Amino acid sequence: MLLRGFARAADVALLQALEGVTAQAPLRHLVTPGGHTMSVAMSNCGPLGWVSDRNGYRYSALDPLSGKNWPAMPACFVGLAAQAAAQAGFKNFQPDACLINSYQPGAKLSVHQDKDEKDFSAPIVSVSLGLPAVFLFGSASRGDKPQRYRLTHGDVVGWGGPSRLAFHGVAPLADGVHQLLGRRRINLTFRRAGRASAAT
Ligand code: MD6
Ligand code: FE
């Protein structure tokens, strides 16, 4: 589900909270298991963070840069993610991981599936801020030609159920200047990466 502009009213609060997070856990370019350095810079907040290195992709409670826990998920992040999930039909979404992706012009994310999480019943909520991007959204089989969606500042994508394992990616970011973020796009993806939360 694409919620156009859902995060717009909260943009300044989100970006301010994000600065606190990245001051503790700086954005960095991870290396893939194949040895390529990713063009997207990443960090995390919350109990679990997504990391990649020569040994593979996984979730870790510790930031490999500091050896410490990832910063806590700011309350405005959690609130927005839960509200967006509810709007998309997923009640009680309790994310335990927030992956922060930072794109500069030319950066891209190759087509992939999100399958490192333990709980595929939970949705993923994805918040776009800053420069617009073309989001590629396919099906669960890699060969299918993806649809293209332009995601702009404040758009939120809520995604789960039958589409949870759909292949997706981000086309190389076009250059531009955004009023709040300059030459940059930030994407926040909220997930349930560890065990399912108790139903309430
Ligand atoms: C991005 N997003 O938009 C990258 N994955 O920068 C993702 O890879 C993604 O937006 C799963 C669900 C939603 C997403
Ligand atoms: Fe993804």
Side-chain angles (χ1 to χ4, degrees):
M1 184 170 290
L2 175 44
L3 306 170
R4 291 276 182 209
F6 192 86
R8 235 194 146 97
D11 59 1
V12 171
L14 293 169
L15 291 171
Q16 204 170 334
L18 179 66
E19 277 188 28
V21 167
T22 54
Q24 291 176 72
L27 291 161
R28 80 292 304 261
H29 295 270
L30 299 172
V31 173
T32 67
H36 296 284
T37 299
M38 297 180 75
S39 58
V40 178
M42 298 183 175
S43 185
N44 293 278
C45 58
L48 292 172
W50 186 85
V51 293
S52 173
D53 59 21
R54 292 304 299 233
N55 297 317
Y57 306 125
R58 65 195 169 277
Y59 282 91
S60 167
L62 302 180
D63 177 352
L65 273 188
S66 65
K68 295 186 197 155
N69 289 318
W70 297 101
M73 228 185 277
C76 63
F77 280 29
V78 182
L80 182 82
Q83 278 176 31
Q87 188 86 233
F90 293 89
K91 292 190 192 104
N92 281 308
F93 177 45
Q94 293 175 33
D96 59 7
C98 172
L99 171 65
I100 300 155
N101 293 147
S102 171
Y103 296 73
Q104 292 192 319
K108 67 177 175 91
L109 198 59
S110 304
V111 170
H112 65 278
Q113 282 175 304
D114 286 25
K115 56 180 184 188
D116 302 320
E117 300 77 22
K118 290 210 169 84
D119 180 9
F120 291 147
S121 69
I124 296 180
V125 170
S126 161
V127 178
S128 293
L129 296 166
L131 287 179
V134 174
F135 193 64
L136 311 168
F137 183 71
S139 75
S141 32
R142 189 184 279 278
D144 288 354
K145 189 167 186 251
Q147 308 263 105
R148 298 166 72 89
Y149 295 92
R150 189 168 186 268
L151 299 181
T152 63
H153 180 73
D155 288 350
V156 177
V157 178
W159 145 344
S163 61
R164 181 59 184 75
L165 290 174
F167 281 91
H168 60 280
V170 178
L173 196 76
D175 203 354
V177 180
H178 184 266
Q179 208 179 315
L180 288 177
L181 275 161
R183 296 178 73 206
R184 207 147 73 104
R185 169 179 186 256
I186 295 281
N187 172 259
L188 309 172
T189 58
F190 296 91
R191 301 117 188 270
R192 187 79 205 172
R195 281 150 36 90
S197 49
T200 45

PDB file of all heavy atoms in Angstrom, residues 1 9 17 23 33 46 68 70 82 104-106 125 141 151-152 154 156 169 184 193:
ATOM      1  N   MET A   1       0.843  -1.193   0.000  1.00  0.00           N
ATOM      2  CA  MET A   1       0.000   0.000   0.000  1.00  0.00           C
ATOM      3  C   MET A   1       0.876   1.240   0.000  1.00  0.00           C
ATOM      4  O   MET A   1       1.863   1.301   0.733  1.00  0.00           O
ATOM      5  CB  MET A   1      -0.893  -0.018   1.246  1.00  0.00           C
ATOM      6  CG  MET A   1      -1.862   1.142   1.273  1.00  0.00           C
ATOM      7  SD  MET A   1      -3.093   0.977   2.573  1.00  0.00           S
ATOM      8  CE  MET A   1      -4.062  -0.379   1.928  1.00  0.00           C
ATOM      9  N   ALA A   9       3.922  15.614   7.469  1.00  0.00           N
ATOM     10  CA  ALA A   9       3.713  16.521   8.609  1.00  0.00           C
ATOM     11  C   ALA A   9       4.764  16.292   9.696  1.00  0.00           C
ATOM     12  O   ALA A   9       5.051  17.191  10.480  1.00  0.00           O
ATOM     13  CB  ALA A   9       2.310  16.340   9.171  1.00  0.00           C
ATOM     14  N   ALA A  17      15.261  13.665  14.891  1.00  0.00           N
ATOM     15  CA  ALA A  17      15.531  12.422  15.622  1.00  0.00           C
ATOM     16  C   ALA A  17      16.602  11.602  14.902  1.00  0.00           C
ATOM     17  O   ALA A  17      17.470  10.983  15.540  1.00  0.00           O
ATOM     18  CB  ALA A  17      14.242  11.615  15.770  1.00  0.00           C
ATOM     19  N   ALA A  23      24.348  10.398  14.896  1.00  0.00           N
ATOM     20  CA  ALA A  23      25.489  10.884  15.681  1.00  0.00           C
ATOM     21  C   ALA A  23      26.097   9.728  16.485  1.00  0.00           C
ATOM     22  O   ALA A  23      27.307   9.665  16.704  1.00  0.00           O
ATOM     23  CB  ALA A  23      25.050  12.011  16.615  1.00  0.00           C
ATOM     24  N   PRO A  33      28.528  -9.700   0.740  1.00  0.00           N
ATOM     25  CA  PRO A  33      29.296 -10.953   0.850  1.00  0.00           C
ATOM     26  C   PRO A  33      30.195 -11.172  -0.375  1.00  0.00           C
ATOM     27  O   PRO A  33      31.252 -11.797  -0.267  1.00  0.00           O
ATOM     28  CB  PRO A  33      28.206 -12.029   0.937  1.00  0.00           C
ATOM     29  CG  PRO A  33      27.003 -11.310   1.473  1.00  0.00           C
ATOM     30  CD  PRO A  33      27.084  -9.903   0.947  1.00  0.00           C
ATOM     31  N   GLY A  46      17.048   0.799  17.005  1.00  0.00           N
ATOM     32  CA  GLY A  46      16.167  -0.238  17.528  1.00  0.00           C
ATOM     33  C   GLY A  46      16.971  -1.432  18.019  1.00  0.00           C
ATOM     34  O   GLY A  46      18.203  -1.455  17.888  1.00  0.00           O
ATOM     35  N   LYS A  68      28.698  -1.545  20.273  1.00  0.00           N
ATOM     36  CA  LYS A  68      27.617  -1.280  21.238  1.00  0.00           C
ATOM     37  C   LYS A  68      26.262  -1.536  20.599  1.00  0.00           C
ATOM     38  O   LYS A  68      26.149  -1.637  19.379  1.00  0.00           O
ATOM     39  CB  LYS A  68      27.668   0.181  21.694  1.00  0.00           C
ATOM     40  CG  LYS A  68      28.898   0.545  22.477  1.00  0.00           C
ATOM     41  CD  LYS A  68      28.740   1.977  22.996  1.00  0.00           C
ATOM     42  CE  LYS A  68      30.075   2.537  23.431  1.00  0.00           C
ATOM     43  NZ  LYS A  68      30.088   3.998  23.374  1.00  0.00           N
ATOM     44  N   TRP A  70      22.681  -0.755  18.990  1.00  0.00           N
ATOM     45  CA  TRP A  70      22.211   0.326  18.127  1.00  0.00           C
ATOM     46  C   TRP A  70      21.459   1.343  18.976  1.00  0.00           C
ATOM     47  O   TRP A  70      20.875   0.979  20.003  1.00  0.00           O
ATOM     48  CB  TRP A  70      21.273  -0.228  17.047  1.00  0.00           C
ATOM     49  CG  TRP A  70      21.932  -1.188  16.117  1.00  0.00           C
ATOM     50  CD1 TRP A  70      21.836  -2.550  16.159  1.00  0.00           C
ATOM     51  CD2 TRP A  70      22.799  -0.879  15.011  1.00  0.00           C
ATOM     52  NE1 TRP A  70      22.592  -3.099  15.147  1.00  0.00           N
ATOM     53  CE2 TRP A  70      23.182  -2.106  14.429  1.00  0.00           C
ATOM     54  CE3 TRP A  70      23.275   0.308  14.454  1.00  0.00           C
ATOM     55  CZ2 TRP A  70      24.028  -2.175  13.322  1.00  0.00           C
ATOM     56  CZ3 TRP A  70      24.114   0.244  13.354  1.00  0.00           C
ATOM     57  CH2 TRP A  70      24.480  -0.980  12.793  1.00  0.00           C
ATOM     58  N   ALA A  82       3.784   2.511  13.285  1.00  0.00           N
ATOM     59  CA  ALA A  82       2.595   1.793  13.744  1.00  0.00           C
ATOM     60  C   ALA A  82       1.334   2.374  13.100  1.00  0.00           C
ATOM     61  O   ALA A  82       0.435   1.631  12.683  1.00  0.00           O
ATOM     62  CB  ALA A  82       2.502   1.848  15.265  1.00  0.00           C
ATOM     63  N   GLN A 104      22.859   9.219  -2.211  1.00  0.00           N
ATOM     64  CA  GLN A 104      23.288  10.428  -2.892  1.00  0.00           C
ATOM     65  C   GLN A 104      23.070  10.184  -4.386  1.00  0.00           C
ATOM     66  O   GLN A 104      22.847   9.048  -4.802  1.00  0.00           O
ATOM     67  CB  GLN A 104      24.742  10.718  -2.543  1.00  0.00           C
ATOM     68  CG  GLN A 104      24.835  11.097  -1.071  1.00  0.00           C
ATOM     69  CD  GLN A 104      26.158  11.679  -0.639  1.00  0.00           C
ATOM     70  OE1 GLN A 104      27.210  11.217  -1.057  1.00  0.00           O
ATOM     71  NE2 GLN A 104      26.094  12.674   0.212  1.00  0.00           N
ATOM     72  N   PRO A 105      23.071  11.253  -5.196  1.00  0.00           N
ATOM     73  CA  PRO A 105      22.827  11.046  -6.630  1.00  0.00           C
ATOM     74  C   PRO A 105      23.696   9.905  -7.184  1.00  0.00           C
ATOM     75  O   PRO A 105      24.887   9.832  -6.888  1.00  0.00           O
ATOM     76  CB  PRO A 105      23.185  12.400  -7.236  1.00  0.00           C
ATOM     77  CG  PRO A 105      22.820  13.375  -6.145  1.00  0.00           C
ATOM     78  CD  PRO A 105      23.213  12.681  -4.871  1.00  0.00           C
ATOM     79  N   GLY A 106      23.082   9.027  -7.959  1.00  0.00           N
ATOM     80  CA  GLY A 106      23.779   7.885  -8.543  1.00  0.00           C
ATOM     81  C   GLY A 106      23.672   6.614  -7.711  1.00  0.00           C
ATOM     82  O   GLY A 106      23.833   5.518  -8.237  1.00  0.00           O
ATOM     83  N   VAL A 125       7.331  -1.369   6.837  1.00  0.00           N
ATOM     84  CA  VAL A 125       6.859  -0.009   6.578  1.00  0.00           C
ATOM     85  C   VAL A 125       8.068   0.804   6.156  1.00  0.00           C
ATOM     86  O   VAL A 125       9.103   0.787   6.825  1.00  0.00           O
ATOM     87  CB  VAL A 125       6.193   0.602   7.825  1.00  0.00           C
ATOM     88  CG1 VAL A 125       5.933   2.088   7.624  1.00  0.00           C
ATOM     89  CG2 VAL A 125       4.887  -0.121   8.144  1.00  0.00           C
ATOM     90  N   SER A 141       8.811 -13.844  -8.089  1.00  0.00           N
ATOM     91  CA  SER A 141       9.791 -14.475  -8.984  1.00  0.00           C
ATOM     92  C   SER A 141      10.660 -13.418  -9.644  1.00  0.00           C
ATOM     93  O   SER A 141      10.172 -12.436 -10.202  1.00  0.00           O
ATOM     94  CB  SER A 141       9.138 -15.376 -10.023  1.00  0.00           C
ATOM     95  OG  SER A 141       7.885 -14.910 -10.398  1.00  0.00           O
ATOM     96  N   LEU A 151       8.661   7.602  -5.720  1.00  0.00           N
ATOM     97  CA  LEU A 151       8.417   7.893  -4.303  1.00  0.00           C
ATOM     98  C   LEU A 151       9.025   9.246  -3.978  1.00  0.00           C
ATOM     99  O   LEU A 151      10.205   9.481  -4.238  1.00  0.00           O
ATOM    100  CB  LEU A 151       9.055   6.814  -3.415  1.00  0.00           C
ATOM    101  CG  LEU A 151       8.535   5.387  -3.617  1.00  0.00           C
ATOM    102  CD1 LEU A 151       9.249   4.433  -2.656  1.00  0.00           C
ATOM    103  CD2 LEU A 151       7.021   5.317  -3.430  1.00  0.00           C
ATOM    104  N   THR A 152       8.206  10.128  -3.401  1.00  0.00           N
ATOM    105  CA  THR A 152       8.702  11.457  -3.072  1.00  0.00           C
ATOM    106  C   THR A 152       8.668  11.671  -1.561  1.00  0.00           C
ATOM    107  O   THR A 152       8.197  10.820  -0.799  1.00  0.00           O
ATOM    108  CB  THR A 152       7.889  12.551  -3.801  1.00  0.00           C
ATOM    109  OG1 THR A 152       6.545  12.498  -3.348  1.00  0.00           O
ATOM    110  CG2 THR A 152       7.907  12.343  -5.310  1.00  0.00           C
ATOM    111  N   GLY A 154       8.036  12.164   2.039  1.00  0.00           N
ATOM    112  CA  GLY A 154       6.873  11.933   2.883  1.00  0.00           C
ATOM    113  C   GLY A 154       6.039  10.723   2.499  1.00  0.00           C
ATOM    114  O   GLY A 154       5.132  10.344   3.241  1.00  0.00           O
ATOM    115  N   VAL A 156       4.930   6.928   2.185  1.00  0.00           N
ATOM    116  CA  VAL A 156       5.151   5.736   3.001  1.00  0.00           C
ATOM    117  C   VAL A 156       4.602   4.529   2.251  1.00  0.00           C
ATOM    118  O   VAL A 156       3.481   4.571   1.736  1.00  0.00           O
ATOM    119  CB  VAL A 156       4.460   5.865   4.379  1.00  0.00           C
ATOM    120  CG1 VAL A 156       4.623   4.585   5.192  1.00  0.00           C
ATOM    121  CG2 VAL A 156       5.032   7.059   5.153  1.00  0.00           C
ATOM    122  N   GLY A 169      13.707  -2.963  -5.671  1.00  0.00           N
ATOM    123  CA  GLY A 169      14.974  -2.245  -5.660  1.00  0.00           C
ATOM    124  C   GLY A 169      14.733  -0.770  -5.895  1.00  0.00           C
ATOM    125  O   GLY A 169      13.583  -0.325  -5.994  1.00  0.00           O
ATOM    126  N   ARG A 184      20.097  14.502  -1.342  1.00  0.00           N
ATOM    127  CA  ARG A 184      20.059  13.246  -0.625  1.00  0.00           C
ATOM    128  C   ARG A 184      18.645  12.692  -0.532  1.00  0.00           C
ATOM    129  O   ARG A 184      17.670  13.431  -0.472  1.00  0.00           O
ATOM    130  CB  ARG A 184      20.568  13.488   0.805  1.00  0.00           C
ATOM    131  CG  ARG A 184      21.196  12.319   1.486  1.00  0.00           C
ATOM    132  CD  ARG A 184      22.306  12.813   2.411  1.00  0.00           C
ATOM    133  NE  ARG A 184      21.775  13.457   3.584  1.00  0.00           N
ATOM    134  CZ  ARG A 184      21.742  12.887   4.803  1.00  0.00           C
ATOM    135  NH1 ARG A 184      22.217  11.669   4.987  1.00  0.00           N
ATOM    136  NH2 ARG A 184      21.278  13.544   5.830  1.00  0.00           N
ATOM    137  N   ALA A 193      12.204  -8.075  12.770  1.00  0.00           N
ATOM    138  CA  ALA A 193      13.301  -8.921  12.306  1.00  0.00           C
ATOM    139  C   ALA A 193      13.487 -10.140  13.191  1.00  0.00           C
ATOM    140  O   ALA A 193      13.898 -11.203  12.729  1.00  0.00           O
ATOM    141  CB  ALA A 193      14.596  -8.120  12.284  1.00  0.00           C
TER     142      ALA A 193
END
